[in-house]
Amino acid sequence: MLAYIARRGAAALGVLFGVATVTFVLNFVLPGDPARLLAGQRADAETIAAIRQQLGLDQPLPVQYVRFLGRLLQGDLGRSYVTNRPVLEIILERFPATALLTVSSMLLATVLGVLLGVLAAVRPNSWLDTLLMLLALVGISVPSFVAGLLVLLLFGVVLGWFPIAGYIDQGWEYLVLPMLTLALRPMSIIARMTRSSMLEVLGQEYIRTALAKGVPTGRVLLRHALRNALNPVVTTVSAWFAGLLAGAFFVEYIFNWPGIGSVAIAAIEKLDYPLIQGTVLFAAVVFVVVNAIVDVLYAVVDPRVQLR
């Protein structure tokens, strides 16, 4: 177990180093000059040069890269060019909103996805199975930003059931539309995965034997079939949870949800390099850590899984 954790830790550090390097390089590929942006359109060349020197942008890229890595090792993500606030402080301030949206969305997606998958597997090739899997296919195919606009238009504008933008401190109803939008795709994938896994388990000999002995169908489905069919579903849920927690960028932006995603998009619009780097690195750390924890817990829950 300890050896596996050490290997996963080393691999995680390698991934984070790669993400940091790519993020640093991409920041300088983006069009525009942050010094000119901060100075304003009417600033003269001397003012722009002074700002570039103050920000360290006049140094060669290798020097900037080494300084960037040095700050990362100290837990310093830099300061925002726009607000002059520490990047880590901004991210931690917005992270609870992203965590709330992600956790609620994954709970909804997991419960409904497993339920729909079981209903489809109990009656394979029936009209219910066909309808549920067709809806799941649509949910998988529609991008989040398109689903968000459709949900906002239907339930927020046309029907007027829920507010189209805002945060939960104004009322729980502000959570419904972004939660539904973010849950749609993982719910569809979980439903299809549950159906496939359940059909495989229901075809096993011990299931048929239990039913032949007169064990109630509900008990067989819940205690035997579903329990053994959940392993791949747990893997799917953990992967989606890590991905959503790392940043539901477009959904937060569409519904004006004050999370990390909206911060990242605003940073890109304003060429706020340190904030762009910070949000991407923070998302990568969350993704890697959550996946590593789930891998270990997966082996603890299921003794058949060997950590190597």
Side-chain angles (χ1 to χ4, degrees):
M1 176 72 75
L2 293 178
Y4 173 80
I5 294 176
R7 286 194 298 270
R8 283 302 305 264
L13 290 177
V15 170
L16 294 178
F17 175 78
V19 172
T21 302
V22 171
T23 305
F24 177 83
V25 173
L26 287 180
N27 276 335
F28 293 92
V29 178
L30 293 175
D33 184 357
R36 179 176 293 277
L37 181 67
L38 293 176
Q41 295 297 324
R42 299 182 179 181
D44 55 26
E46 293 182 357
T47 302
I48 295 175
I51 294 177
R52 289 182 60 85
Q53 182 179 11
Q54 180 182 2
L55 298 177
L57 298 176
D58 60 331
Q59 298 295 321
L61 284 183
V63 175
Q64 295 187 48
Y65 179 63
V66 171
R67 290 180 176 177
F68 170 66
L69 292 181
R71 291 196 302 268
L72 285 183
L73 293 176
Q74 300 174 15
D76 181 10
L77 298 179
R79 303 183 74 88
S80 168
Y81 288 167
V82 177
T83 64
N84 199 33
R85 293 178 58 196
V87 169
L88 185 59
E89 178 181 302
I90 297 175
I91 293 175
L92 294 179
E93 183 180 274
R94 296 297 189 96
F95 180 68
T98 296
L100 172 64
L101 178 59
T102 301
V103 172
S104 58
S105 298
M106 281 310 304
L107 285 175
L108 178 65
T110 302
V111 173
L112 291 184
V114 171
L115 177 61
L116 296 178
V118 170
L119 290 176
V122 170
R123 297 186 178 277
N125 302 320
S126 65
W127 67 268
L128 179 62
D129 179 26
T130 303
L131 176 63
L132 291 178
M133 290 303 101
L134 179 61
L135 293 176
L137 182 61
V138 173
I140 295 172
S141 304
V142 178
S144 295
F145 63 91
V146 175
L149 293 175
L150 293 176
V151 168
L152 184 150
L153 179 63
L154 176 60
F155 296 105
V157 178
V158 177
L159 298 176
W161 290 353
F162 302 101
I164 61 175
Y167 188 48
I168 195 172
D169 57 1
Q170 300 170 269
W172 65 268
E173 61 273 13
Y174 286 87
L175 176 64
V176 175
L177 294 187
M179 177 181 64
L180 179 62
T181 301
L182 200 58
L184 181 61
R185 198 173 186 195
M187 178 183 66
S188 303
I189 294 177
I190 292 170
R192 292 181 66 89
M193 180 67 69
T194 303
R195 175 188 180 274
S196 177
S197 185
M198 279 289 292
L199 287 177
E200 181 179 351
V201 173
L202 289 174
Q204 299 295 321
E205 185 67 31
Y206 71 93
I207 296 294
R208 291 194 292 268
T209 301
L211 291 174
K213 289 182 177 181
V215 179
T217 303
R219 182 177 178 184
V220 173
L221 288 176
L222 295 178
R223 295 194 57 181
H224 300 285
L226 182 58
R227 183 177 181 182
N228 292 318
L230 284 181
N231 284 345
V233 177
V234 170
T235 303
T236 302
V237 170
S238 64
W240 271 100
F241 178 71
L244 295 183
L245 189 60
F249 286 16
F250 291 110
V251 174
E252 292 184 357
Y253 186 75
I254 290 172
F255 292 98
N256 194 29
W257 190 262
I260 296 178
S262 57
V263 169
I265 293 179
I268 294 173
E269 293 174 347
K270 298 177 181 178
L271 293 180
D272 195 344
Y273 288 175
L275 192 52
I276 296 172
Q277 292 172 336
T279 52
V280 172
L281 287 172
F282 187 82
V285 169
V286 170
F287 187 86
V288 169
V289 170
V290 171
N291 273 290
I293 292 175
V294 170
D295 283 347
V296 175
L297 292 178
Y298 192 45
V300 173
V301 173
D302 188 353
R304 296 173 297 179
V305 177
Q306 298 294 325
L307 297 180
R308 297 179 180 178

